[in-house]
Amino acid sequence: MTDSMTGTTTPLAQLERYTRFWNTGPDGDRDRLAATVFTDEVEYRALVGLLRGAAALADFRDQFVSHAGPATVRRREEPEVHHGRARLRWEILTGDGTSFATGTDVIEFAEDGRISAIAAFLDRAPEGFDPTAHD
């Protein structure tokens, strides 16, 4: 979905790609996908820390999967979008379909439609998660 007037991708299409990014491993087309989804200096802020750049996000995803096993991110409901921002509620499912955690990402879009910043909040943390362990 591209806006024919500006040539930019619509926020909802970007959010679809964003979810697909989190579900794509290193053997997929993740780097190509990341280039269309994120600005070069994308910032990801979460309890686990501040990450900059798509490579850091990909590494975060790979570390998670190596620790927790296969996982899938899915949207819990339709995202809300306005004024260059979106709220995306998500859930992480483990390989056997068990709910690992739920959260909400507040996403900021650059003028070209790519994602420039994400603030990730946990709505339901994983069992045993210690938020103070990541200061």
Side-chain angles (χ1 to χ4, degrees), residues 8-126:
T8 60
T9 302
T10 66
L12 291 176
Q14 281 299 69
L15 294 172
E16 287 291 330
R17 290 184 187 109
Y18 175 71
T19 303
R20 195 172 30 190
F21 170 84
W22 287 115
N23 292 322
T24 303
D27 296 333
D29 62 350
R30 184 171 60 196
D31 290 342
R32 184 188 59 74
L33 182 62
T36 65
V37 174
F38 302 113
T39 61
D40 293 340
E41 297 298 319
V42 63
E43 287 189 351
Y44 180 86
R45 296 174 185 270
L47 285 173
V48 297
L50 170 62
L51 305 174
R52 285 198 174 91
L57 274 68
D59 184 55
F60 175 61
R61 183 252 181 223
D62 293 345
Q63 287 181 36
F64 176 84
V65 169
S66 72
H67 174 73
T72 302
V73 175
R74 70 169 188 91
R75 294 188 330 205
R76 293 188 287 157
E77 57 190 55
E78 275 301 306
E80 297 170 271
V81 179
H82 66 81
H83 297 95
R85 292 187 174 51
R87 178 168 63 175
L88 181 115
R89 292 186 171 131
W90 50 262
E91 178 177 32
I92 298 173
L93 302 172
T94 60
D96 66 0
T98 302
S99 180
F100 179 80
T102 62
T104 301
D105 287 356
V106 177
I107 296 169
E108 183 175 337
F109 297 97
E111 287 198 22
D112 67 0
R114 293 184 299 160
I115 295 171
S116 60
I118 302 114
F121 296 89
L122 284 172
D123 299 336
R124 181 181 45 79

